[in-house]
Amino acid sequence: MKFHISKLFWAARAVLYKPFCRKIDFPSYIGKPLFMDGLHHLCIGKRVRIFPNIRIEAMDGGTVMIENNVYIGQNCHITSGSNEVRIGEGSAVMANVCITNIDHNYEQIGVPVLEQGHKTRNTKIGMNCFIGHNAVIQAGVELGDHIIVGAGAVVNRGKYPSNCVLAGVPARIIKKYNYDIGKWESCNSK
């Protein structure tokens, strides 16, 4: 594996952030962030690779938990309100992904959405998941282990079982792993 000098700076950045975060384990590295707020509610495990232009916000007591051996691509946006966003061990989050546990209220006609407050629900990505480019993981989503989320998918509320592939807007299960035959099988399109 080729060593890039930029990763030395990224490792130094993780060391500099450590006193301000709830937890950063090493070795981990962080590319130059676009914006980070609520660092005291951010937990980063060992061997976490965060690429440049990350935007992480933990507000109103919300937490962001990034477990060991997680890859987060560039230009990702992770927001947590009063609950938790958790990214499970061994997961990969590709570029331009949004993960949140916040839904904005919109019920009051004539009142700007950003002035109506919000509600939060825990959002969890299981172990060894792969979140494709430009995907959106919305508030209240719980992904089991080894779930593949296709590029551009929008995963809204709900629990999704382990060992499946999600795609589309809104996302739906398009494949499941069949342990009886040891293969991935397409699901009924209806």
Side-chain angles (χ1 to χ4, degrees):
M1 185 155 88
K2 190 175 175 183
F3 176 77
H4 293 278
I5 192 74
S6 62
K7 291 184 181 175
L8 186 62
F9 291 107
W10 296 2
R13 187 172 289 110
V15 171
L16 292 173
Y17 282 133
K18 186 171 176 70
F20 304 102
C21 293
R22 182 181 293 175
K23 176 183 112 170
I24 295 182
D25 290 337
F26 297 105
S28 286
Y29 59 81
I30 302 171
K32 185 177 180 183
L34 185 62
F35 181 79
M36 294 178 86
D37 189 28
L39 290 176
H40 56 287
H41 294 289
L42 173 62
C43 297
I44 297 175
K46 293 179 184 177
R47 294 178 292 130
V48 171
R49 285 106 45 218
I50 299 175
F51 280 72
N53 298 327
I54 186 82
R55 180 177 175 139
I56 297 178
E57 299 171 81
M59 56 195 109
D60 299 330
T63 58
V64 175
M65 309 288 287
I66 302 171
E67 296 181 357
N68 296 335
N69 195 29
V70 169
Y71 168 95
I72 299 178
Q74 62 193 23
N75 303 320
C76 288
H77 188 176
I78 302 170
T79 58
S80 178
S82 59
N83 288 2
E84 178 181 84
V85 168
R86 179 177 295 269
I87 301 173
E89 186 170 338
S91 291
V93 177
M94 297 294 103
N96 304 314
V97 168
C98 176
I99 302 170
T100 186
N101 70 4
I102 301 169
D103 276 333
H104 288 278
N105 293 324
Y106 59 88
E107 290 82 10
Q108 298 176 31
I109 303 301
V111 177
V113 171
L114 294 179
E115 294 176 13
Q116 293 190 42
H118 59 268
K119 49 193 165 211
T120 62
R121 286 182 288 286
N122 288 329
T123 299
K124 180 185 176 212
I125 296 171
M127 293 174 37
N128 304 318
C129 290
F130 180 91
I131 312 300
H133 290 270
N134 300 307
V136 177
I137 309 296
Q138 294 183 320
V141 167
E142 292 185 30
L143 299 181
D145 297 334
H146 200 92
I147 288 183
I148 310 305
V149 176
V154 177
V155 186
N156 49 14
R157 289 182 208 120
K159 292 183 180 184
Y160 297 87
S162 295
N163 307 310
C164 67
V165 177
L166 304 174
V169 179
R172 62 182 179 78
I173 298 172
I174 62 168
K175 284 188 177 183
K176 289 183 181 178
Y177 189 77
N178 185 329
Y179 282 98
D180 294 334
I181 62 171
K183 290 184 180 181
W184 289 90
E185 292 184 318
S186 293
C187 294
N188 187 341
S189 62
K190 294 181 181 178

